[in-house]
Amino acid sequence: MARPEDVDLSTSKVGSRSIRASALAAALLLAGCQSNPEPQEMARTSLQTAPADLQLLCANAVVAQAGGAKVLPTSSRQLDATSYSVELDAGGRKFTCIVDSSGSVKSVQPA
């Protein structure tokens, strides 16, 4: 049986820890070199979404038609300088709402 003073520390757990630490540091350094896509390449910048308050106005307008079901906006897009189209889900039923930037709901139709 080996005595503690006879153990070679270069091949012990201390040595393998420093190798693992070096490998981890190298991996983190390489991960930091990856570039993020430019904002114009991101999908969200291709369409202007409706502001949250206008989406909520549309959701409230759909509640009566949905029989009190939970109504959630699922997507939205800008139609022109002053109008937005908001897609909504009301308990599995789909609706489309057109709202202008002043908060007037122009139409609500089943999709």
Side-chain angles (χ1 to χ4, degrees):
M1 184 158 168
R3 297 181 306 202
E5 58 270 10
D6 294 335
V7 175
D8 181 8
L9 292 178
S10 64
T11 60
S12 70
K13 292 181 181 178
V14 174
S16 64
R17 283 185 192 154
S18 65
I19 292 171
R20 280 188 256 161
S22 297
L24 178 61
L28 290 174
L29 181 63
L30 289 175
C33 294
Q34 294 179 358
S35 64
N36 291 329
E38 293 296 319
Q40 63 268 19
E41 295 175 14
M42 298 172 72
R44 186 163 174 101
T45 59
S46 64
L47 293 174
Q48 180 66 32
T49 59
D53 59 335
L54 299 180
Q55 293 183 40
L56 291 174
L57 285 171
C58 279
N60 287 334
V62 169
V63 168
Q65 291 185 28
K70 183 176 181 181
V71 179
L72 297 171
T74 56
S75 69
S76 66
R77 62 186 175 95
Q78 189 168 21
L79 297 175
D80 57 36
T82 61
S83 300
Y84 296 91
S85 173
V86 179
E87 304 296 320
L88 303 117
D89 182 294
R93 294 175 53 202
K94 307 293 183 191
F95 290 86
T96 301
C97 171
I98 306 297
V99 62
D100 67 18
S101 56
S102 66
S104 296
V105 175
K106 300 299 182 185
S107 70
V108 175
Q109 299 176 357

